[in-house]
Amino acid sequence: MKKSTKAAVGTLLVAALFAGVWLAERLAGANSMLVTVLEKGAIYALIAVSMNLLNGFTGLFSLGQAGFMLVGAYTYAIFTIPAARRMAVYQYYQGGIVQFELPCLLAIVLAGVVAAAFAALVGLPVLRLKSDYLAIATLGFAEIIRAVIQYDKLGPLTNGSNLLKTYPTFDTALFPFAVAGVCIAVILMLIHSTYGRACKAIRDDEIAAEAMGINLFRHKLLSFVISSFFAGVGGALLAMYQGTVQANAFKSSMTYEILLIVVIGGMGSVTGSVLASFLFIACSEWWLRFLDVETFIGTVQVPLLRSGFRMVVFSVVIMAVVLFYRRGIMGDREFSLDAIARAFSGKKRKGARAK
Amino acid sequence: MSTVLRVKDVTMQFGGVVAIDNLSMHVDEGEIVALIGPNGAGKTTAFNCITGVYEPTNGEIAFGDCIIARSHPTGKMKKLYAGAHADKYLGARVRLSPDKITRLGIARTFQNIRLFKSQTAFENVLIATHLRRTSNPFTATLHINAAEERRMRERAMEMLETVGLADSAGELATSLPYGQQRRLEIARALATQPKLLLLDEPAAGMNPQETDELGAFIREIKDRFQLTVFMIEHHMNLVMDISDRIYVIDFGRQIAEGAPAEVRDNPAVIAAYLGVDEE
Ligand SMILES: Nc1ncnc2c1ncn2[C@@H]1O[C@H](COP(=O)(O)OP(=O)(O)OP(=O)(O)O)[C@@H](O)[C@H]1O
Ligand SMILES: [Mg+2]
C-alpha cells in the first residue's frame, strides 16, 4: 500500500473512531456502561501498551505498573487541586504545602515525568544485575511507595491516607481517547525506530545483542523509564476518571490485571493490548457483572454466583490463556492497514520490508 | 605490519577447570589466522575472552593500542588459581563490555548460531547498524533521523547482498537453512563495521559445496572491507587453504603455531588430533 493512501486511510479511521466515540456518548448517555467501558478501556489500553513495551518488546519483566500509576495519579492530583479548595482537601494538614495549581495537560506530563524519575531511581541499581531482579524490585517498589505515600509526615504533600479530590476531571470519553491515542502513537513510533529494534534484539538474545554493540544497561533503562512515564500518564488519567485518589486502590492486583491484558492481547503486540483492554474492561465492568450478583431463578439460587466469583472466573481465564493460548489474541502480530490490504487482496507477504 | 590483536598470558579458569592455560597469540593486520584444536580445547572460550563475554582470570588482551581486558586472580580465585604469571598483571583491572569492544571494531559470529529469532533476515542485519547511530531516542522516535534510517537500511541490504541473501531478506531468520544462517551471522557482524572479524566455526552445518565456497568468500570480504580475520574451524581443507598462520591449542594450551604446512607436519598436532580420534 502506498504511503500516502495509508496516511489518508489512517486519518479517516482515526476520525471515524472519534466520531464513533462521540456518537456513542450522545446516544448512550455520559453515565452509561458503554461510556464507562470506553473511558476506562482507553486508559487501560495506554497502561497495557506501556507494560507491553517493557515485557513484550524488551523482554524485561516488571511488576511495578501499579506503583508508577500511583505516582502519576498522585502527582496529577496534588498539582491540579484548585488553590481555593486546598484548605478543604488538606483539612488535617493546614491546606498542604503546594499552594499553586498547574494546567491539566501540564500536570499530566508532569505525572509521567515523576513516574519516570522514580523508574530511573529503581532501574539504575537494578538493571545492571540480571533481568530477573527487576520483577522483584518493581514489585517491592510498588508496595513501598503505596505505604510511603500514606505516611503521615508526608501529609502536607500527599494528604496522608486521606482522599485527594476536587481536581479537574474530564467530562467526555474523547479526552482519554485523545491522550491515550497520542501516547500509544508515540510508543509505536519508538518501537519502530532503531531504538525499538535494539530493544527487540535484547528480548530475543541478550548475548547476541551485546555482541552487536548494543549497550544492554542503557537500552533496558531507556525502555523501563519510558514505560514508566506512560504508566504515570495512565495513572493521571485514571485519577481523572475516578474523581478521587487514594493510594490503597493501587494494589498489586491492579498490576496483575494489566499483565493479564497484555498476555491475553499477546506479548509484543500493541494492537493486541489495546483490543484486550477494551475486552477486559467490558467483561469486568459490564458483561460479567452478573457473576458477582446472587441470582434467583424462581426460588432456586443459581449456584456459584456471589460476590467474588468474577475473580475466580478471571483466574480460570488466565490459566486457560497461559496453558492453551500462550500467544494471546494477536501473538506478536499487529493489526495494520497493510495486513488488512494483504488479507483482502490475498497476496502473500514477500520480499524485504525495506522501504 | 601492525598488530591488531594481542593476547598475552591469558588464563581462563572456571572454578577448578582451567579452560585456557597461559595462552599468548597475536593477529596482524590483514592476516587470516586460524585457531584450531580438538573439541573442548578452549577455542570458543578464547573468543569469549577477546569479545568481553568472559573476564580472563589472568593476563592481558589488547586491540590495537587499546587494552580491552587485563586482570589477575582475585578473591576466591587467588587460592584456586592454577595458571602461570599470577603476579605479572597486578594493578588496575580493565574489563570492557562486549558492546564497547564491538564498537571498537571487533565483530564475531557464534558457534551455536545466535540470530534474533523473531526477526527477519533483513531486520537481523539492520539491528547491527544501531551501534553507529548518531540519533538519540527523541530524534529516532520522532523519525527526524530519516537520513540516518535510510543509510542504515541501505547498509543492511548491502550486507545481505554481500553474503548472497538479498532474496531472503524478508524471511524469518530462523527459517533459513543452516548454511544461510551462518552467512547471515557474517552479514550481521559485517554491518557493525569491524576491523577484526572473529568467526567461530563458520563452516559447521554447511554442505560440502557451501564449505568450498566459504574460503573464497572469506577472502573476498577480507579484501573488500579491509578486514583481519581470526577463525575457529574444524574443516582442515578450509583452514589449510585460506590461513596465513595457524594456532593449535589443546587443553587450553598452545601446542603449535605457524604456517599451514609447518603445522600440518607438526608431531604434537598430529598426536593431539590422533588422540581425539582414538577416543
Ligand atoms: N562458562 C563455563 N563454565 C564452566 N566451564 C566452561 C565454561 N565455558 C567453557 N567451559 C569449559 O571450557 C572448556 C573449553 O570449552 P570451549 O567451548 O572453549 O571448547 P572449544 O574448543 O570451543 O570446543 P568445540 O570444538 O567443541 O567448540 C570445556 O571443558 C568447557 O566445559
Ligand atoms: Mg567452540
Side-chain angles (χ1 to χ4, degrees):
Chain A
M1 204 186 280
K2 263 205 312 227
K3 231 177 181 167
S4 52
T5 21
K6 217 157 85 177
V9 176
T11 315
L12 267 177
L13 279 181
V14 171
L17 177 71
F18 276 84
V21 172
W22 181 81
L23 210 63
E25 213 164 34
R26 286 308 108 120
L27 296 180
N31 293 321
S32 63
M33 239 345 150
L34 179 64
V35 172
T36 300
V37 168
L38 287 177
E39 290 178 348
K40 208 171 169 191
I43 297 167
Y44 267 60
L46 169 58
I47 297 164
V49 170
S50 80
M51 190 173 198
N52 206 342
L53 172 65
L54 196 64
N55 291 13
F57 287 93
T58 318
L60 284 175
F61 207 67
S62 149
L63 291 174
Q65 226 63 1
F68 296 110
M69 288 161 67
L70 168 72
V71 170
Y74 263 78
T75 306
Y76 174 78
I78 288 169
F79 289 102
T80 53
I81 296 173
R85 304 257 181 78
R86 286 191 183 263
M87 213 54 210
V89 175
Y90 286 85
Q91 53 180 321
Y92 303 108
Y93 300 100
Q94 289 79 47
I97 49 167
V98 180
Q99 287 301 339
F100 57 90
E101 57 195 82
L102 294 176
C104 164
L105 280 178
L106 189 62
I108 290 179
V109 175
L110 185 67
V113 171
V114 175
F118 272 99
L121 228 57
V122 176
L124 274 171
V126 172
L127 286 172
R128 288 191 192 276
L129 308 174
K130 269 194 64 173
S131 300
D132 316 351
Y133 292 102
L134 187 67
I136 301 160
T138 47
L139 188 60
F141 162 77
E143 293 300 315
I144 291 166
I145 195 79
R146 189 155 52 85
V148 166
I149 249 175
Q150 298 182 66
Y151 179 45
D152 193 48
K153 291 266 161 43
L154 285 178
L157 183 66
T158 64
N159 210 14
S161 53
N162 308 299
L163 282 179
L164 288 171
K165 53 192 179 214
T166 73
Y167 49 79
T169 57
F170 50 75
D171 46 17
T172 162
L174 291 174
F175 184 83
F177 262 79
V179 175
V182 169
C183 290
I184 291 172
V186 170
I187 294 175
L188 271 173
M189 282 161 72
L190 173 76
I191 288 170
H192 288 125
S193 78
T194 182
Y195 285 87
R197 294 194 293 263
C199 288
K200 282 189 260 180
I202 293 173
R203 170 193 70 188
D204 282 359
D205 190 328
E206 284 199 2
I207 292 178
E210 211 176 12
M212 293 306 118
I214 295 169
N215 183 321
L216 297 183
F217 171 70
R218 201 181 298 167
H219 286 82
K220 285 176 180 177
L221 188 65
L222 179 77
S223 170
F224 182 48
V225 166
I226 292 177
S227 164
S228 304
F229 174 90
F230 288 112
V233 170
L237 289 177
L238 197 63
M240 297 176 90
Y241 166 80
Q242 290 171 344
T244 60
V245 174
Q246 213 282 331
N248 271 337
F250 294 82
K251 291 210 174 63
S252 48
S253 59
M254 195 178 248
T255 301
Y256 299 137
E257 274 180 12
I258 296 155
L259 185 60
L260 174 62
I261 291 172
V262 173
V263 173
I264 290 179
M267 293 273 227
S269 170
V270 169
T271 38
S273 289
V274 173
L275 288 177
S277 293
F278 285 101
L279 205 63
F280 177 89
I281 298 295
C283 288
S284 72
E285 299 280 328
W286 190 5
W287 298 337
L288 297 185
R289 273 279 168 201
F290 72 92
L291 292 174
D292 270 5
V293 182
E294 291 185 22
T295 309
F296 292 87
I297 298 178
T299 53
V300 188
Q301 183 174 3
V302 181
L304 297 176
L305 296 190
R306 65 177 65 92
S307 178
F309 184 59
R310 196 162 44 113
M311 286 327 287
V312 176
V313 172
F314 268 136
S315 309
V316 172
V317 170
I318 300 179
M319 284 194 283
V321 168
V322 170
L323 285 176
F324 304 113
Y325 211 54
R326 200 160 304 158
R327 292 169 51 75
I329 302 175
M330 299 292 289
D332 60 359
R333 286 162 301 164
E334 294 291 357
F335 186 78
S336 71
L337 292 176
D338 278 335
I340 299 167
R342 266 199 306 275
F344 273 110
S345 63
K347 256 187 281 176
K348 248 199 84 184
R349 168 160 53 162
K350 71 180 241 290
R353 280 206 221 149
K355 281 178 206 146
Chain B
M1 222 189 298
S2 65
T3 303
V4 174
L5 178 75
R6 184 178 292 283
V7 175
K8 265 161 64 181
D9 308 323
V10 166
T11 298
M12 180 78 237
Q13 193 172 331
F14 299 103
V17 180
V18 182
I20 295 185
D21 192 358
N22 196 22
L23 191 63
S24 293
M25 306 184 286
H26 67 94
V27 181
D28 291 335
E29 195 176 332
E31 272 191 310
I32 297 180
V33 177
L35 177 60
I36 64 171
N39 289 111
K43 306 179 294 293
T44 299
T45 306
F47 270 22
N48 282 337
C49 289
I50 295 167
T51 53
V53 176
Y54 296 150
E55 179 182 21
T57 314
N58 191 51
E60 184 181 280
I61 301 172
F63 177 58
D65 298 328
C66 178
I67 293 176
I68 55 179
R70 184 192 156 90
S71 73
H72 56 268
T74 50
K76 261 197 283 181
M77 214 15 111
K78 255 187 189 155
K79 274 210 196 102
L80 271 175
Y81 187 62
H85 300 299
D87 298 327
K88 196 168 167 187
Y89 295 95
L90 300 176
R93 288 151 61 111
V94 179
R95 185 190 183 180
L96 294 194
S97 57
D99 60 294
K100 286 224 182 69
I101 291 172
T102 306
R103 238 168 297 150
L104 283 177
I106 303 182
R108 72 175 293 180
T109 63
F110 293 92
Q111 178 178 357
N112 50 340
I113 300 176
R114 284 183 171 271
L115 291 166
F116 302 118
K117 51 187 175 303
S118 70
Q119 327 240 3
T120 64
F122 177 72
E123 286 164 335
N124 261 275
V125 185
L126 188 56
I127 286 163
T129 62
H130 181 67
L131 80 168
R132 308 280 175 216
R133 70 192 175 274
T134 51
S135 60
N136 60 44
F138 280 104
T139 55
T141 299
L142 300 177
H143 295 265
I144 303 171
N145 63 338
E148 173 185 76
E149 184 75 19
R150 197 170 343 101
R151 265 201 314 280
M152 285 175 160
R153 287 172 183 275
E154 278 165 11
R155 162 162 280 278
M157 208 56 209
E158 189 194 326
M159 292 307 128
L160 276 181
E161 277 158 16
T162 304
V163 301
L165 287 176
D167 290 339
S168 312
E171 308 277 337
L172 209 59
T174 43
S175 72
L176 298 175
Y178 223 58
Q180 294 191 9
Q181 291 193 25
R182 292 248 175 244
R183 273 190 282 151
L184 183 56
E185 274 220 339
I186 295 178
R188 199 174 63 164
L190 289 176
T192 65
Q193 300 180 266
K195 298 190 195 79
L196 172 64
L197 181 62
L198 306 184
L199 302 172
D200 197 343
E201 302 201 14
M206 285 191 172
N207 61 38
Q209 193 204 338
E210 285 174 320
T211 310
D212 283 346
E213 291 164 2
L214 186 64
F217 171 71
I218 292 175
R219 276 215 194 93
E220 183 194 315
I221 56 171
K222 189 206 112 173
D223 291 339
R224 181 159 159 207
F225 300 105
Q226 284 144 32
L227 296 171
T228 303
V229 178
F230 197 15
M231 171 181 78
I232 297 172
E233 191 43 73
H234 281 299
H235 282 79
M236 281 312 136
N237 288 344
L238 177 62
V239 170
M240 296 298 161
D241 179 31
I242 68 168
S243 311
D244 296 310
R245 278 188 308 122
I246 299 172
Y247 284 98
V248 191
I249 61 173
D250 194 12
F251 298 110
R253 247 166 288 160
Q254 180 181 316
I255 56 171
E257 185 262 338
E262 296 163 28
V263 165
R264 191 179 1 217
D265 302 330
N266 187 314
V269 177
I270 295 166
Y273 274 90
L274 288 180
V276 168
D277 286 345
E278 274 166 11
E279 267 180 6

Coordinates of all heavy atoms in Angstrom, one line a residue, chain B residues 34-72:
Chain B
A34 N 44.0 -18.9 11.8 CA 43.0 -19.9 12.3 C 43.4 -20.3 13.7 O 44.6 -20.4 14.0 CB 43.0 -21.1 11.3
L35 N 42.4 -20.7 14.5 CA 42.6 -21.2 15.8 C 42.0 -22.6 15.7 O 40.8 -22.7 15.5 CB 41.9 -20.4 16.8 CG 42.0 -20.8 18.3 CD1 43.4 -20.9 18.8 CD2 41.2 -19.8 19.2
I36 N 42.8 -23.6 15.9 CA 42.3 -25.0 15.8 C 42.6 -25.8 17.0 O 43.5 -25.4 17.8 CB 42.7 -25.8 14.5 CG1 44.2 -26.0 14.5 CG2 42.3 -25.0 13.2 CD1 44.7 -26.9 13.4
G37 N 42.0 -26.9 17.2 CA 42.2 -27.8 18.3 C 41.1 -28.7 18.5 O 40.0 -28.5 18.0
P38 N 41.3 -29.8 19.2 CA 40.2 -30.8 19.4 C 39.0 -30.2 20.2 O 39.2 -29.1 20.7 CB 40.9 -31.9 20.3 CG 42.4 -31.6 20.2 CD 42.6 -30.2 19.9
N39 N 37.9 -30.9 20.2 CA 36.8 -30.4 20.9 C 37.1 -30.2 22.4 O 37.8 -31.0 23.0 CB 35.6 -31.5 20.9 CG 35.0 -31.6 19.5 OD1 35.2 -32.6 18.8 ND2 34.4 -30.5 19.1
G40 N 36.6 -29.1 22.9 CA 36.8 -28.8 24.3 C 38.2 -28.2 24.6 O 38.6 -28.1 25.7
A41 N 38.9 -27.9 23.5 CA 40.3 -27.4 23.7 C 40.3 -26.0 24.3 O 41.3 -25.5 24.9 CB 41.0 -27.3 22.4
G42 N 39.2 -25.2 24.2 CA 39.2 -23.9 24.7 C 39.1 -22.8 23.7 O 39.3 -21.6 24.0
K43 N 38.8 -23.2 22.5 CA 38.8 -22.2 21.4 C 37.7 -21.1 21.5 O 38.0 -19.9 21.5 CB 38.6 -22.9 20.0 CG 39.6 -24.0 19.8 CD 39.4 -24.7 18.5 CE 38.1 -25.5 18.4 NZ 38.0 -26.7 19.3
T44 N 36.5 -21.6 21.8 CA 35.4 -20.7 21.9 C 35.6 -19.8 23.2 O 35.3 -18.6 23.2 CB 34.1 -21.4 22.0 OG1 33.9 -22.1 20.8 CG2 32.9 -20.5 22.2
T45 N 36.2 -20.4 24.2 CA 36.4 -19.7 25.4 C 37.4 -18.5 25.1 O 37.3 -17.4 25.7 CB 37.0 -20.6 26.5 OG1 36.1 -21.7 26.7 CG2 37.2 -19.9 27.8
A46 N 38.4 -18.8 24.3 CA 39.4 -17.7 23.9 C 38.6 -16.6 23.2 O 38.8 -15.4 23.5 CB 40.4 -18.3 23.0
F47 N 37.7 -16.9 22.3 CA 36.9 -15.9 21.6 C 36.1 -15.1 22.6 O 35.9 -13.9 22.5 CB 36.0 -16.5 20.6 CG 36.7 -16.6 19.2 CD1 38.1 -16.6 19.1 CD2 35.9 -16.7 18.1 CE1 38.7 -16.6 17.9 CE2 36.5 -16.7 16.8 CZ 37.9 -16.7 16.7
N48 N 35.5 -15.8 23.6 CA 34.7 -15.2 24.6 C 35.5 -14.2 25.5 O 35.0 -13.2 25.9 CB 33.9 -16.2 25.5 CG 32.7 -16.8 24.8 OD1 32.2 -16.2 23.8 ND2 32.3 -18.0 25.2
C49 N 36.7 -14.5 25.7 CA 37.6 -13.6 26.4 C 37.9 -12.4 25.6 O 37.8 -11.3 26.1 CB 38.9 -14.3 26.8 SG 38.7 -15.5 28.1
I50 N 38.2 -12.6 24.3 CA 38.5 -11.5 23.4 C 37.3 -10.5 23.3 O 37.5 -9.3 23.2 CB 39.0 -12.0 22.1 CG1 40.3 -12.8 22.2 CG2 39.2 -10.9 21.1 CD1 40.6 -13.6 21.0
T51 N 36.1 -11.1 23.2 CA 35.0 -10.2 23.0 C 34.3 -9.7 24.2 O 33.3 -9.1 24.2 CB 33.9 -11.0 22.1 OG1 33.6 -12.2 22.8 CG2 34.4 -11.3 20.7
G52 N 34.9 -10.0 25.4 CA 34.4 -9.5 26.6 C 33.3 -10.2 27.3 O 32.7 -9.8 28.3
V53 N 32.9 -11.4 26.7 CA 31.9 -12.2 27.3 C 32.4 -12.7 28.7 O 31.6 -12.7 29.7 CB 31.4 -13.3 26.4 CG1 30.4 -14.2 27.1 CG2 30.8 -12.8 25.1
Y54 N 33.6 -13.2 28.7 CA 34.2 -13.6 29.9 C 35.4 -12.6 30.3 O 36.0 -12.1 29.4 CB 34.9 -15.0 29.8 CG 33.9 -16.1 29.5 CD1 34.4 -17.2 28.8 CD2 32.6 -16.1 30.0 CE1 33.5 -18.3 28.5 CE2 31.8 -17.2 29.7 CZ 32.2 -18.3 29.0 OH 31.4 -19.3 28.8
E55 N 35.6 -12.5 31.6 CA 36.8 -11.8 32.0 C 37.9 -12.8 32.3 O 37.7 -13.7 33.1 CB 36.4 -11.0 33.3 CG 37.6 -10.2 33.8 CD 37.3 -9.5 35.1 OE1 36.4 -9.9 35.8 OE2 38.1 -8.5 35.4
P56 N 39.0 -12.7 31.6 CA 40.1 -13.7 31.9 C 40.4 -13.7 33.3 O 40.3 -12.6 34.0 CB 41.2 -13.1 31.0 CG 40.7 -12.2 30.1 CD 39.4 -11.6 30.7
T57 N 40.8 -14.8 33.8 CA 41.3 -14.9 35.2 C 42.6 -14.1 35.4 O 42.8 -13.5 36.4 CB 41.4 -16.3 35.6 OG1 40.3 -17.1 35.2 CG2 41.5 -16.5 37.1
N58 N 43.4 -14.3 34.4 CA 44.8 -13.6 34.4 C 45.2 -13.3 33.0 O 44.8 -14.0 32.0 CB 45.8 -14.6 35.1 CG 47.1 -13.9 35.4 OD1 47.1 -12.8 36.0 ND2 48.2 -14.4 34.9
G59 N 46.0 -12.2 32.9 CA 46.5 -11.9 31.6 C 46.0 -10.6 31.0 O 45.2 -9.9 31.7
E60 N 46.3 -10.4 29.7 CA 46.0 -9.1 29.1 C 45.6 -9.3 27.7 O 46.2 -10.1 27.0 CB 47.2 -8.2 29.2 CG 47.0 -6.8 28.7 CD 48.2 -5.9 28.8 OE1 48.5 -5.4 29.9 OE2 48.9 -5.7 27.8
I61 N 44.6 -8.6 27.2 CA 44.2 -8.6 25.8 C 44.2 -7.2 25.3 O 43.6 -6.3 25.9 CB 42.9 -9.3 25.6 CG1 42.9 -10.7 26.2 CG2 42.5 -9.3 24.1 CD1 41.5 -11.4 26.2
A62 N 44.9 -6.9 24.1 CA 44.9 -5.6 23.6 C 44.4 -5.7 22.1 O 44.7 -6.6 21.4 CB 46.3 -5.0 23.6
F63 N 43.6 -4.6 21.8 CA 43.1 -4.5 20.4 C 43.8 -3.2 19.9 O 43.4 -2.1 20.4 CB 41.6 -4.4 20.4 CG 41.0 -4.2 19.0 CD1 41.2 -5.1 18.0 CD2 40.2 -3.1 18.8 CE1 40.7 -4.9 16.8 CE2 39.7 -2.9 17.5 CZ 39.9 -3.8 16.5
G64 N 44.7 -3.4 19.0 CA 45.5 -2.2 18.6 C 46.2 -1.6 19.8 O 46.9 -2.4 20.5
D65 N 46.0 -0.4 20.0 CA 46.7 0.2 21.2 C 45.9 0.2 22.4 O 46.3 0.7 23.5 CB 47.0 1.7 20.9 CG 48.0 1.8 19.7 OD1 48.8 0.9 19.6 OD2 47.8 2.8 19.0
C66 N 44.7 -0.3 22.3 CA 43.7 -0.3 23.4 C 43.7 -1.6 24.2 O 43.4 -2.6 23.6 CB 42.3 0.1 22.8 SG 41.0 0.1 24.1
I67 N 43.9 -1.5 25.5 CA 43.8 -2.7 26.3 C 42.3 -2.9 26.6 O 41.6 -2.1 27.1 CB 44.6 -2.5 27.6 CG1 46.1 -2.5 27.3 CG2 44.3 -3.7 28.6 CD1 46.9 -2.2 28.5
I68 N 41.8 -4.1 26.2 CA 40.4 -4.3 26.4 C 40.1 -5.2 27.6 O 39.0 -5.3 28.1 CB 39.7 -4.9 25.1 CG1 40.4 -6.2 24.6 CG2 39.7 -3.9 24.0 CD1 39.8 -6.8 23.4
A69 N 41.1 -6.0 28.0 CA 41.0 -6.8 29.2 C 42.3 -6.9 29.9 O 43.3 -7.1 29.2 CB 40.4 -8.1 28.9
R70 N 42.4 -6.8 31.2 CA 43.6 -7.0 31.9 C 43.2 -7.4 33.3 O 42.5 -6.7 33.9 CB 44.4 -5.7 31.9 CG 45.7 -5.8 32.5 CD 46.3 -4.4 32.8 NE 47.3 -4.5 33.8 CZ 48.6 -4.7 33.7 NH1 49.0 -4.8 32.5 NH2 49.4 -4.8 34.7
S71 N 43.7 -8.6 33.8 CA 43.3 -8.9 35.1 C 44.2 -9.9 35.7 O 45.1 -10.5 35.1 CB 41.8 -9.4 35.1 OG 41.8 -10.7 34.6
H72 N 44.0 -10.1 37.0 CA 44.8 -11.0 37.8 C 43.8 -11.7 38.8 O 42.7 -11.2 39.0 CB 45.9 -10.3 38.6 CG 45.4 -9.2 39.5 ND1 45.3 -7.9 39.0 CD2 44.9 -9.2 40.7 CE1 44.8 -7.2 40.0 NE2 44.5 -8.0 41.0

